Amino acid sequence: GNFLNSEFRVVCYLNQFFGQIGGEDKAGIATIFEDKPVGPALAFQQLIKDEGKVVGTIICGDNYFSENTKQALDIIIGKVKELSPDVVVVGPAFNAGRYGLACAEIGKTVSETMNIPVISGMYPENPGVELGRKYMYIVQTSDSAAGMRRALSQMAYLAKKLAAGIPLDSPEKDSYIPQGRRV
């Protein structure tokens, strides 16, 4: 259902592969910005329909992020602030460890510096889950991108609720990984 009168704003973060820059050979690419939805962000846009708008996609190589975390975070957080979204979506990262850790770092920083909900999707064994679950809502995904559609629809459902200020149900009911904190 439509929880809002006006569109909510979404910023998405993707790695070089899902951002359609290239594979492992492009993992060293520095942060770039597209003022439109790209790759999975495009599918996410279709899922939130006219309720929300992906106002930009931030893309960074997995290696670049892990080797230059502070610089990458500064640029990414600066861009998020500039775009002032209602929700930030990082990933889904499935079972990709470096990607999951980057998503978790971004989620942690956004939630510590801005009052914006962050949503991701990861396979339970992704190291990003441990790092990020206290700071963001992580939908449990399959271990590969074959589960993309399912992950994105659950993430879109959470985004609509959170953007409308509707409290989420239990992790079991709204299928996100328990945050390990009591509210």
Short mmCIF file of all heavy atoms in Angstrom, two decimals, residues 111-149:
data_model
loop_
_atom_site.label_atom_id
_atom_site.label_comp_id
_atom_site.label_asym_id
_atom_site.label_seq_id
_atom_site.Cartn_x
_atom_site.Cartn_y
_atom_site.Cartn_z
N SER A 111 24.30 5.51 9.91
CA SER A 111 23.43 5.49 11.07
C SER A 111 24.03 6.23 12.26
O SER A 111 23.32 6.74 13.11
CB SER A 111 23.01 4.06 11.42
OG SER A 111 23.96 3.47 12.25
N GLU A 112 25.35 6.33 12.32
CA GLU A 112 25.97 7.08 13.41
C GLU A 112 26.00 8.59 13.17
O GLU A 112 26.05 9.36 14.12
CB GLU A 112 27.41 6.58 13.64
CG GLU A 112 27.46 5.23 14.33
CD GLU A 112 28.88 4.69 14.49
OE1 GLU A 112 29.78 5.10 13.72
OE2 GLU A 112 29.07 3.85 15.38
N THR A 113 25.99 9.01 11.91
CA THR A 113 26.12 10.44 11.63
C THR A 113 24.84 11.09 11.13
O THR A 113 24.71 12.30 11.16
CB THR A 113 27.23 10.70 10.58
OG1 THR A 113 26.91 9.97 9.40
CG2 THR A 113 28.59 10.26 11.08
N MET A 114 23.89 10.29 10.65
CA MET A 114 22.64 10.84 10.14
C MET A 114 21.51 9.99 10.67
O MET A 114 21.69 8.82 10.94
CB MET A 114 22.62 10.77 8.61
CG MET A 114 23.60 11.67 7.94
SD MET A 114 23.64 11.32 6.15
CE MET A 114 25.14 10.38 6.09
N ASN A 115 20.36 10.57 10.77
CA ASN A 115 19.24 9.81 11.28
C ASN A 115 18.45 9.21 10.11
O ASN A 115 17.29 9.58 9.88
CB ASN A 115 18.38 10.73 12.15
CG ASN A 115 17.40 9.93 12.98
OD1 ASN A 115 17.57 8.73 13.18
ND2 ASN A 115 16.36 10.59 13.45
N ILE A 116 19.10 8.33 9.36
CA ILE A 116 18.46 7.75 8.16
C ILE A 116 18.55 6.24 8.26
O ILE A 116 19.61 5.70 8.53
CB ILE A 116 19.21 8.18 6.86
CG1 ILE A 116 19.34 9.70 6.76
CG2 ILE A 116 18.48 7.64 5.62
CD1 ILE A 116 20.24 10.13 5.60
N PRO A 117 17.43 5.53 8.06
CA PRO A 117 17.51 4.07 8.06
C PRO A 117 18.30 3.54 6.87
O PRO A 117 18.23 4.09 5.77
CB PRO A 117 16.05 3.62 8.00
CG PRO A 117 15.26 4.78 7.52
CD PRO A 117 16.05 6.02 7.83
N VAL A 118 19.06 2.47 7.13
CA VAL A 118 19.86 1.84 6.08
C VAL A 118 19.40 0.39 5.95
O VAL A 118 19.16 -0.29 6.94
CB VAL A 118 21.37 1.85 6.44
CG1 VAL A 118 22.20 1.26 5.30
CG2 VAL A 118 21.84 3.27 6.76
N ILE A 119 19.26 -0.06 4.70
CA ILE A 119 18.78 -1.41 4.41
C ILE A 119 19.79 -2.12 3.53
O ILE A 119 20.32 -1.53 2.58
CB ILE A 119 17.43 -1.36 3.68
CG1 ILE A 119 16.40 -0.61 4.54
CG2 ILE A 119 16.92 -2.76 3.34
CD1 ILE A 119 15.12 -0.28 3.79
N SER A 120 20.05 -3.39 3.84
CA SER A 120 20.92 -4.19 2.99
C SER A 120 20.34 -5.59 2.87
O SER A 120 19.29 -5.89 3.44
CB SER A 120 22.34 -4.24 3.57
OG SER A 120 23.22 -4.84 2.63
N GLY A 121 21.05 -6.42 2.13
CA GLY A 121 20.67 -7.83 2.01
C GLY A 121 21.96 -8.63 1.98
O GLY A 121 22.88 -8.28 1.24
N MET A 122 22.07 -9.65 2.82
CA MET A 122 23.28 -10.47 2.85
C MET A 122 22.97 -11.91 3.22
O MET A 122 21.99 -12.18 3.93
CB MET A 122 24.29 -9.93 3.88
CG MET A 122 24.85 -8.56 3.56
SD MET A 122 26.12 -8.05 4.76
CE MET A 122 25.99 -6.26 4.60
N TYR A 123 23.83 -12.78 2.76
CA TYR A 123 23.83 -14.18 3.19
C TYR A 123 24.29 -14.17 4.66
O TYR A 123 25.21 -13.41 5.01
CB TYR A 123 24.82 -14.94 2.30
CG TYR A 123 24.85 -16.43 2.51
CD1 TYR A 123 23.72 -17.20 2.31
CD2 TYR A 123 26.04 -17.05 2.90
CE1 TYR A 123 23.76 -18.58 2.48
CE2 TYR A 123 26.10 -18.43 3.07
CZ TYR A 123 24.95 -19.19 2.86
OH TYR A 123 25.00 -20.55 3.03
N PRO A 124 23.66 -14.99 5.52
CA PRO A 124 23.98 -14.91 6.95
C PRO A 124 25.47 -15.04 7.29
O PRO A 124 25.92 -14.48 8.29
CB PRO A 124 23.20 -16.08 7.56
CG PRO A 124 22.09 -16.32 6.60
CD PRO A 124 22.58 -15.94 5.24
N GLU A 125 26.24 -15.76 6.47
CA GLU A 125 27.65 -15.94 6.79
C GLU A 125 28.55 -14.82 6.26
O GLU A 125 29.76 -14.83 6.49
CB GLU A 125 28.15 -17.29 6.27
CG GLU A 125 27.92 -18.40 7.27
CD GLU A 125 27.35 -19.66 6.64
OE1 GLU A 125 28.02 -20.25 5.79
OE2 GLU A 125 26.21 -20.02 7.01
N ASN A 126 27.98 -13.85 5.58
CA ASN A 126 28.78 -12.72 5.09
C ASN A 126 29.35 -11.99 6.32
O ASN A 126 28.60 -11.69 7.25
CB ASN A 126 27.91 -11.78 4.26
CG ASN A 126 28.72 -10.74 3.51
OD1 ASN A 126 29.60 -10.09 4.06
ND2 ASN A 126 28.41 -10.57 2.24
N PRO A 127 30.66 -11.69 6.34
CA PRO A 127 31.23 -10.98 7.49
C PRO A 127 30.60 -9.61 7.73
O PRO A 127 30.67 -9.07 8.84
CB PRO A 127 32.73 -10.86 7.16
CG PRO A 127 32.82 -11.09 5.68
CD PRO A 127 31.68 -12.00 5.32
N GLY A 128 29.97 -9.06 6.71
CA GLY A 128 29.29 -7.76 6.85
C GLY A 128 28.11 -7.82 7.80
O GLY A 128 27.71 -6.81 8.39
N VAL A 129 27.53 -9.01 7.99
CA VAL A 129 26.37 -9.15 8.88
C VAL A 129 26.77 -8.82 10.32
O VAL A 129 26.13 -8.02 11.00
CB VAL A 129 25.78 -10.58 8.81
CG1 VAL A 129 24.74 -10.80 9.92
CG2 VAL A 129 25.14 -10.82 7.44
N GLU A 130 27.85 -9.43 10.76
CA GLU A 130 28.32 -9.21 12.13
C GLU A 130 28.63 -7.74 12.37
O GLU A 130 28.26 -7.17 13.39
CB GLU A 130 29.58 -10.07 12.34
CG GLU A 130 29.68 -10.76 13.69
CD GLU A 130 28.35 -10.95 14.43
OE1 GLU A 130 27.50 -11.78 14.02
OE2 GLU A 130 28.17 -10.25 15.45
N LEU A 131 29.32 -7.12 11.40
CA LEU A 131 29.71 -5.73 11.53
C LEU A 131 28.52 -4.78 11.44
O LEU A 131 28.46 -3.77 12.14
CB LEU A 131 30.74 -5.37 10.44
CG LEU A 131 31.22 -3.92 10.36
CD1 LEU A 131 31.96 -3.52 11.63
CD2 LEU A 131 32.12 -3.71 9.15
N GLY A 132 27.56 -5.10 10.58
CA GLY A 132 26.53 -4.12 10.25
C GLY A 132 25.16 -4.26 10.88
O GLY A 132 24.38 -3.31 10.90
N ARG A 133 24.84 -5.44 11.43
CA ARG A 133 23.44 -5.67 11.81
C ARG A 133 22.90 -4.77 12.91
O ARG A 133 21.70 -4.53 12.96
CB ARG A 133 23.21 -7.14 12.17
CG ARG A 133 23.94 -7.58 13.41
CD ARG A 133 23.83 -9.08 13.59
NE ARG A 133 24.44 -9.44 14.87
CZ ARG A 133 23.92 -10.31 15.72
NH1 ARG A 133 22.80 -10.92 15.41
NH2 ARG A 133 24.53 -10.57 16.85
N LYS A 134 23.77 -4.26 13.77
CA LYS A 134 23.30 -3.35 14.82
C LYS A 134 22.89 -2.01 14.24
O LYS A 134 22.14 -1.26 14.86
CB LYS A 134 24.40 -3.11 15.85
CG LYS A 134 24.63 -4.28 16.78
CD LYS A 134 25.29 -3.82 18.10
CE LYS A 134 26.73 -3.40 17.91
NZ LYS A 134 27.62 -4.56 17.68
N TYR A 135 23.44 -1.68 13.08
CA TYR A 135 23.28 -0.33 12.54
C TYR A 135 22.27 -0.25 11.39
O TYR A 135 21.88 0.84 11.00
CB TYR A 135 24.62 0.19 12.03
CG TYR A 135 25.68 0.14 13.09
CD1 TYR A 135 26.58 -0.93 13.16
CD2 TYR A 135 25.76 1.14 14.06
CE1 TYR A 135 27.55 -0.98 14.16
CE2 TYR A 135 26.72 1.09 15.06
CZ TYR A 135 27.61 0.03 15.11
OH TYR A 135 28.55 -0.03 16.10
N MET A 136 21.92 -1.40 10.83
CA MET A 136 21.03 -1.36 9.68
C MET A 136 20.16 -2.61 9.64
O MET A 136 20.36 -3.55 10.41
CB MET A 136 21.84 -1.22 8.39
CG MET A 136 22.88 -2.29 8.15
SD MET A 136 23.90 -1.86 6.69
CE MET A 136 24.83 -3.36 6.51
N TYR A 137 19.19 -2.59 8.75
CA TYR A 137 18.30 -3.73 8.59
C TYR A 137 18.83 -4.58 7.45
O TYR A 137 18.93 -4.10 6.32
CB TYR A 137 16.87 -3.25 8.29
CG TYR A 137 16.34 -2.42 9.43
CD1 TYR A 137 16.36 -1.03 9.36
CD2 TYR A 137 15.85 -3.02 10.59
CE1 TYR A 137 15.88 -0.25 10.41
CE2 TYR A 137 15.38 -2.26 11.65
CZ TYR A 137 15.41 -0.87 11.56
OH TYR A 137 14.95 -0.12 12.61
N ILE A 138 19.21 -5.81 7.76
CA ILE A 138 19.78 -6.68 6.73
C ILE A 138 18.83 -7.83 6.44
O ILE A 138 18.56 -8.67 7.30
CB ILE A 138 21.15 -7.26 7.20
CG1 ILE A 138 22.11 -6.12 7.59
CG2 ILE A 138 21.76 -8.12 6.08
CD1 ILE A 138 23.44 -6.60 8.19
N VAL A 139 18.31 -7.83 5.23
CA VAL A 139 17.44 -8.92 4.77
C VAL A 139 18.32 -10.14 4.52
O VAL A 139 19.40 -10.02 3.94
CB VAL A 139 16.73 -8.49 3.47
CG1 VAL A 139 16.06 -9.67 2.78
CG2 VAL A 139 15.72 -7.39 3.76
N GLN A 140 17.86 -11.30 4.95
CA GLN A 140 18.63 -12.52 4.72
C GLN A 140 18.46 -12.96 3.27
O GLN A 140 17.35 -13.13 2.78
CB GLN A 140 18.14 -13.61 5.66
CG GLN A 140 18.96 -14.87 5.55
CD GLN A 140 18.65 -15.85 6.68
OE1 GLN A 140 18.30 -15.45 7.78
NE2 GLN A 140 18.78 -17.13 6.38
N THR A 141 19.59 -13.15 2.56
CA THR A 141 19.54 -13.53 1.15
C THR A 141 20.14 -14.92 0.95
O THR A 141 20.74 -15.49 1.85
CB THR A 141 20.36 -12.57 0.27
OG1 THR A 141 21.75 -12.75 0.55
CG2 THR A 141 19.97 -11.12 0.50
N SER A 142 19.99 -15.41 -0.27
CA SER A 142 20.69 -16.63 -0.67
C SER A 142 22.18 -16.30 -0.81
O SER A 142 22.56 -15.13 -0.69
CB SER A 142 20.14 -17.11 -2.02
OG SER A 142 20.35 -16.09 -2.99
N ASP A 143 23.00 -17.30 -1.10
CA ASP A 143 24.43 -17.01 -1.17
C ASP A 143 24.87 -16.47 -2.53
O ASP A 143 26.02 -16.11 -2.71
CB ASP A 143 25.27 -18.24 -0.78
CG ASP A 143 25.11 -19.39 -1.75
OD1 ASP A 143 24.18 -19.33 -2.58
OD2 ASP A 143 25.90 -20.34 -1.68
N SER A 144 23.95 -16.41 -3.49
CA SER A 144 24.34 -15.88 -4.80
C SER A 144 23.29 -14.91 -5.33
O SER A 144 22.15 -14.87 -4.85
CB SER A 144 24.50 -17.01 -5.81
OG SER A 144 23.22 -17.37 -6.30
N ALA A 145 23.68 -14.15 -6.36
CA ALA A 145 22.80 -13.14 -6.93
C ALA A 145 21.59 -13.74 -7.63
O ALA A 145 20.71 -13.02 -8.09
CB ALA A 145 23.59 -12.26 -7.90
N ALA A 146 21.50 -15.06 -7.67
CA ALA A 146 20.30 -15.70 -8.21
C ALA A 146 19.09 -15.32 -7.35
O ALA A 146 17.96 -15.31 -7.82
CB ALA A 146 20.46 -17.22 -8.23
N GLY A 147 19.35 -14.96 -6.10
CA GLY A 147 18.27 -14.56 -5.20
C GLY A 147 17.98 -13.06 -5.22
O GLY A 147 17.32 -12.54 -4.32
N MET A 148 18.45 -12.37 -6.25
CA MET A 148 18.33 -10.91 -6.34
C MET A 148 16.90 -10.41 -6.20
O MET A 148 16.60 -9.53 -5.41
CB MET A 148 18.93 -10.42 -7.66
CG MET A 148 18.88 -8.92 -7.85
SD MET A 148 19.90 -7.99 -6.65
CE MET A 148 21.52 -8.10 -7.44
N ARG A 149 16.00 -10.97 -7.00
CA ARG A 149 14.63 -10.48 -7.04
C ARG A 149 13.96 -10.55 -5.66
O ARG A 149 13.34 -9.61 -5.19
CB ARG A 149 13.84 -11.30 -8.07
CG ARG A 149 12.53 -10.70 -8.47
CD ARG A 149 12.68 -9.57 -9.45
NE ARG A 149 11.46 -8.78 -9.48
CZ ARG A 149 11.37 -7.55 -9.98
NH1 ARG A 149 12.44 -6.98 -10.49
NH2 ARG A 149 10.23 -6.90 -9.98
#
